Amino acid sequence: MTADPGCLFCKIVAGEVEADVVHSSEHCLAFRDLEPQAPVHLLVIPRRHEPDVGSLVRAAPAEAAALLAAARSAAESEGVADNFRLVANTGRDAQQSVFHAHLHVLAGRSFDWPPG
């Protein structure tokens, strides 16, 4: 697996930084977001360091599929598998703040659209 020693999520994968882990598999890890935007807000990350989901798809398509499966398993573990939002921000303008591929699993409230 590739890793970036300066990456927060790589440090979580390595066990150097604590996280409230709710799912762990060969290729992925899911943990609670420290600044939740919904009652359930999980981050699902690949163990491999890639800067965003698109890069992960290019570098390791099977691991990108594993990331989606891990998101579903994490939602199941939280009891929200039938009603959750899955978000992947790519790039600064899309509000990506940690440049390690990840998915947000959000649930536990209504996500009305358009907002207002």
Side-chain angles (χ1 to χ4, degrees):
M1 299 275 165
T2 61
D4 175 347
C7 172
L8 172 62
F9 288 175
C10 287
K11 290 177 181 180
I12 290 172
V13 168
E16 297 169 12
V17 172
E18 285 188 41
D20 186 0
V21 175
V22 299
H23 174 84
S24 180
S25 66
E26 177 185 2
H27 296 294
C28 303
L29 198 63
F31 51 92
R32 296 186 196 291
D33 193 299
L34 292 177
E35 296 179 16
Q37 303 300 306
V40 174
H41 188 166
L42 307 175
L43 296 171
V44 186
I45 65 172
R47 292 180 183 274
R48 167 193 294 269
H49 180 85
E50 292 293 338
D52 55 57
V53 173
S55 297
L56 180 65
V57 169
R58 256 185 271 121
E63 291 177 39
L67 188 68
L68 289 170
R72 171 67 186 196
S73 292
E76 287 173 353
S77 75
E78 296 295 299
V80 297
D82 291 333
N83 198 21
F84 66 95
R85 174 175 279 181
L86 197 57
V87 176
N89 300 326
T90 300
R92 290 192 195 286
D93 288 345
Q95 303 302 311
Q96 184 178 2
S97 58
V98 177
F99 290 85
H100 181 117
H102 60 284
L103 299 174
H104 296 261
V105 175
L106 300 150
R109 69 171 175 85
S110 175
F111 296 100
D112 294 335
W113 192 258

